[in-house]
Amino acid sequence: MSNRTILGARIAELRYKKDLRQFELGELIGEAIGISLSPSAIGQYERGARNPPLEVVEAISDIFNVSIDYLFGKTDEKLTVDKYLKLDKIELERLLKTKNVTFQGKLLTEQDKERILDIAFALFWKDK
């Protein structure tokens, strides 16, 4: 299978797994790079009829939290270490922003949550 075919197959597979339509993926890419893509363009990428520009590949990588190497078939490992760390940070931020979090029976304030993020960033992600 050629790289173009692998790329298209992986984009389609990831899109199906996320239950996204082609136009929805095009809109997400548009939010990331400022240019929305038509369902036709997404279909051409998926069929291998057209190669997406690098900025589109990077956006797809970010949207699905997979490495570019995975998209091009260089590896079957979807996430890189950097992506794992980024995903961890996003998940922690989402948890702290959307849930009532307690510590030792005390509900954390928004300021407490920001401090936790600052500490976690300093400990785990500052050099990443």
Side-chain angles (χ1 to χ4, degrees):
M1 202 181 301
S2 73
N3 282 349
R4 179 185 277 191
T5 307
I6 292 170
L7 175 62
R10 293 220 164 152
I11 293 170
E13 172 194 353
L14 292 165
R15 184 176 61 77
Y16 288 133
K17 284 184 178 178
K18 289 281 189 179
D19 198 28
L20 290 174
R21 295 182 181 150
Q22 288 176 334
F23 84 88
E24 292 170 316
L25 178 56
E27 288 175 353
L28 289 172
I29 292 168
E31 290 172 16
I33 65 171
I35 302 168
S36 190
L37 297 175
S38 69
S40 172
I42 301 298
Q44 289 177 353
Y45 299 154
E46 291 179 353
R47 289 189 309 278
R50 187 171 141 199
N51 278 330
L54 182 57
E55 68 181 345
V56 170
V57 174
E58 289 173 338
I60 291 168
S61 169
D62 289 340
I63 289 165
F64 293 115
N65 290 312
V66 298
S67 69
I68 291 175
D69 283 345
Y70 173 78
L71 289 175
F72 281 107
K74 302 257 184 224
T75 181
D76 289 329
E77 178 64 35
K78 291 183 180 179
L79 295 178
T80 64
V81 171
D82 289 342
K83 294 266 184 189
Y84 277 115
L85 292 172
K86 180 179 176 184
L87 187 58
D88 285 347
K89 183 178 179 190
I90 290 168
E91 288 175 348
L92 179 60
E93 286 176 319
R94 187 177 301 133
L95 169 75
L96 291 173
K97 288 180 181 179
T98 62
K99 304 289 184 191
N100 290 327
V101 180
T102 61
F103 180 72
Q104 295 181 337
K106 177 187 168 217
L107 187 64
L108 297 181
T109 66
E110 293 304 312
Q111 185 178 12
D112 294 334
K113 292 176 183 181
E114 286 298 320
R115 289 186 68 206
I116 288 172
L117 281 173
D118 289 343
I119 292 166
F121 183 79
L123 287 174
F124 302 111
W125 300 301
K126 93 175 169 185
D127 294 330
K128 307 297 181 236

mmCIF file of all heavy atoms in Angstrom, residues 98-114:
data_model
loop_
_atom_site.group_PDB
_atom_site.id
_atom_site.type_symbol
_atom_site.label_atom_id
_atom_site.label_comp_id
_atom_site.label_asym_id
_atom_site.label_seq_id
_atom_site.Cartn_x
_atom_site.Cartn_y
_atom_site.Cartn_z
ATOM 1 N N THR A 98 -14.490 21.245 34.435
ATOM 2 C CA THR A 98 -15.876 20.790 34.257
ATOM 3 C C THR A 98 -16.451 20.049 35.454
ATOM 4 O O THR A 98 -17.642 19.797 35.490
ATOM 5 C CB THR A 98 -16.007 19.872 33.026
ATOM 6 O OG1 THR A 98 -15.198 18.706 33.225
ATOM 7 C CG2 THR A 98 -15.603 20.596 31.758
ATOM 8 N N LYS A 99 -15.630 19.722 36.435
ATOM 9 C CA LYS A 99 -16.109 18.926 37.572
ATOM 10 C C LYS A 99 -15.885 19.663 38.873
ATOM 11 O O LYS A 99 -14.993 20.490 38.998
ATOM 12 C CB LYS A 99 -15.375 17.572 37.643
ATOM 13 C CG LYS A 99 -15.471 16.736 36.397
ATOM 14 C CD LYS A 99 -16.850 16.191 36.208
ATOM 15 C CE LYS A 99 -16.876 15.281 34.985
ATOM 16 N NZ LYS A 99 -18.180 14.924 34.577
ATOM 17 N N ASN A 100 -16.735 19.332 39.842
ATOM 18 C CA ASN A 100 -16.490 19.792 41.205
ATOM 19 C C ASN A 100 -15.460 18.844 41.803
ATOM 20 O O ASN A 100 -15.704 17.648 41.923
ATOM 21 C CB ASN A 100 -17.779 19.762 42.029
ATOM 22 C CG ASN A 100 -18.760 20.824 41.589
ATOM 23 O OD1 ASN A 100 -18.357 21.904 41.171
ATOM 24 N ND2 ASN A 100 -20.035 20.530 41.687
ATOM 25 N N VAL A 101 -14.317 19.383 42.147
ATOM 26 C CA VAL A 101 -13.213 18.580 42.658
ATOM 27 C C VAL A 101 -13.012 18.926 44.129
ATOM 28 O O VAL A 101 -13.020 20.098 44.504
ATOM 29 C CB VAL A 101 -11.917 18.848 41.869
ATOM 30 C CG1 VAL A 101 -10.765 18.017 42.405
ATOM 31 C CG2 VAL A 101 -12.131 18.585 40.388
ATOM 32 N N THR A 102 -12.855 17.881 44.937
ATOM 33 C CA THR A 102 -12.601 18.105 46.356
ATOM 34 C C THR A 102 -11.233 17.545 46.727
ATOM 35 O O THR A 102 -10.725 16.632 46.093
ATOM 36 C CB THR A 102 -13.669 17.419 47.236
ATOM 37 O OG1 THR A 102 -13.632 16.016 47.006
ATOM 38 C CG2 THR A 102 -15.052 17.967 46.952
ATOM 39 N N PHE A 103 -10.674 18.130 47.785
ATOM 40 C CA PHE A 103 -9.433 17.635 48.360
ATOM 41 C C PHE A 103 -9.606 17.665 49.858
ATOM 42 O O PHE A 103 -9.934 18.714 50.432
ATOM 43 C CB PHE A 103 -8.245 18.509 47.923
ATOM 44 C CG PHE A 103 -6.936 18.052 48.486
ATOM 45 C CD1 PHE A 103 -6.329 16.895 48.012
ATOM 46 C CD2 PHE A 103 -6.321 18.759 49.515
ATOM 47 C CE1 PHE A 103 -5.128 16.457 48.526
ATOM 48 C CE2 PHE A 103 -5.111 18.330 50.035
ATOM 49 C CZ PHE A 103 -4.517 17.177 49.553
ATOM 50 N N GLN A 104 -9.433 16.514 50.483
ATOM 51 C CA GLN A 104 -9.638 16.352 51.924
ATOM 52 C C GLN A 104 -10.997 16.902 52.345
ATOM 53 O O GLN A 104 -11.133 17.593 53.353
ATOM 54 C CB GLN A 104 -8.500 17.006 52.713
ATOM 55 C CG GLN A 104 -7.159 16.331 52.463
ATOM 56 C CD GLN A 104 -6.024 16.947 53.257
ATOM 57 O OE1 GLN A 104 -6.081 18.108 53.678
ATOM 58 N NE2 GLN A 104 -4.972 16.166 53.447
ATOM 59 N N GLY A 105 -11.993 16.615 51.535
ATOM 60 C CA GLY A 105 -13.368 16.993 51.851
ATOM 61 C C GLY A 105 -13.733 18.436 51.535
ATOM 62 O O GLY A 105 -14.878 18.844 51.713
ATOM 63 N N LYS A 106 -12.788 19.219 51.049
ATOM 64 C CA LYS A 106 -13.036 20.638 50.748
ATOM 65 C C LYS A 106 -13.165 20.822 49.242
ATOM 66 O O LYS A 106 -12.330 20.350 48.475
ATOM 67 C CB LYS A 106 -11.879 21.476 51.288
ATOM 68 C CG LYS A 106 -12.006 22.956 50.972
ATOM 69 C CD LYS A 106 -10.754 23.710 51.377
ATOM 70 C CE LYS A 106 -10.796 25.095 50.787
ATOM 71 N NZ LYS A 106 -9.515 25.586 50.353
ATOM 72 N N LEU A 107 -14.224 21.503 48.830
ATOM 73 C CA LEU A 107 -14.422 21.810 47.415
ATOM 74 C C LEU A 107 -13.374 22.818 46.963
ATOM 75 O O LEU A 107 -13.178 23.854 47.607
ATOM 76 C CB LEU A 107 -15.831 22.389 47.202
ATOM 77 C CG LEU A 107 -16.276 22.624 45.772
ATOM 78 C CD1 LEU A 107 -16.362 21.292 45.021
ATOM 79 C CD2 LEU A 107 -17.632 23.312 45.757
ATOM 80 N N LEU A 108 -12.673 22.491 45.876
ATOM 81 C CA LEU A 108 -11.631 23.388 45.378
ATOM 82 C C LEU A 108 -12.246 24.588 44.663
ATOM 83 O O LEU A 108 -13.202 24.455 43.900
ATOM 84 C CB LEU A 108 -10.710 22.647 44.413
ATOM 85 C CG LEU A 108 -9.909 21.477 44.979
ATOM 86 C CD1 LEU A 108 -9.033 20.876 43.893
ATOM 87 C CD2 LEU A 108 -9.066 21.899 46.168
ATOM 88 N N THR A 109 -11.659 25.744 44.898
ATOM 89 C CA THR A 109 -12.080 26.961 44.205
ATOM 90 C C THR A 109 -11.408 26.996 42.835
ATOM 91 O O THR A 109 -10.488 26.214 42.556
ATOM 92 C CB THR A 109 -11.655 28.215 44.990
ATOM 93 O OG1 THR A 109 -10.220 28.270 44.996
ATOM 94 C CG2 THR A 109 -12.202 28.195 46.412
ATOM 95 N N GLU A 110 -11.835 27.930 42.002
ATOM 96 C CA GLU A 110 -11.194 28.092 40.698
ATOM 97 C C GLU A 110 -9.716 28.446 40.869
ATOM 98 O O GLU A 110 -8.867 27.995 40.109
ATOM 99 C CB GLU A 110 -11.920 29.150 39.856
ATOM 100 C CG GLU A 110 -13.321 28.746 39.440
ATOM 101 C CD GLU A 110 -13.361 27.427 38.679
ATOM 102 O OE1 GLU A 110 -12.570 27.237 37.730
ATOM 103 O OE2 GLU A 110 -14.182 26.561 39.053
ATOM 104 N N GLN A 111 -9.416 29.242 41.883
ATOM 105 C CA GLN A 111 -8.020 29.603 42.161
ATOM 106 C C GLN A 111 -7.216 28.362 42.558
ATOM 107 O O GLN A 111 -6.080 28.185 42.110
ATOM 108 C CB GLN A 111 -7.966 30.655 43.258
ATOM 109 C CG GLN A 111 -6.565 31.170 43.522
ATOM 110 C CD GLN A 111 -6.531 32.248 44.589
ATOM 111 O OE1 GLN A 111 -7.510 32.478 45.302
ATOM 112 N NE2 GLN A 111 -5.397 32.909 44.712
ATOM 113 N N ASP A 112 -7.808 27.485 43.376
ATOM 114 C CA ASP A 112 -7.135 26.237 43.760
ATOM 115 C C ASP A 112 -6.844 25.396 42.522
ATOM 116 O O ASP A 112 -5.764 24.826 42.379
ATOM 117 C CB ASP A 112 -8.010 25.406 44.713
ATOM 118 C CG ASP A 112 -8.240 26.066 46.059
ATOM 119 O OD1 ASP A 112 -7.404 26.878 46.495
ATOM 120 O OD2 ASP A 112 -9.286 25.757 46.687
ATOM 121 N N LYS A 113 -7.824 25.305 41.625
ATOM 122 C CA LYS A 113 -7.670 24.507 40.411
ATOM 123 C C LYS A 113 -6.544 25.056 39.539
ATOM 124 O O LYS A 113 -5.754 24.297 38.976
ATOM 125 C CB LYS A 113 -8.981 24.451 39.628
ATOM 126 C CG LYS A 113 -10.075 23.676 40.338
ATOM 127 C CD LYS A 113 -11.372 23.749 39.542
ATOM 128 C CE LYS A 113 -12.511 23.057 40.236
ATOM 129 N NZ LYS A 113 -13.746 23.120 39.439
ATOM 130 N N GLU A 114 -6.463 26.386 39.425
ATOM 131 C CA GLU A 114 -5.385 27.009 38.648
ATOM 132 C C GLU A 114 -4.021 26.689 39.264
ATOM 133 O O GLU A 114 -3.059 26.423 38.552
ATOM 134 C CB GLU A 114 -5.580 28.527 38.562
ATOM 135 C CG GLU A 114 -6.690 28.951 37.628
ATOM 136 C CD GLU A 114 -6.432 28.545 36.182
ATOM 137 O OE1 GLU A 114 -5.282 28.638 35.706
ATOM 138 O OE2 GLU A 114 -7.407 28.111 35.534
#
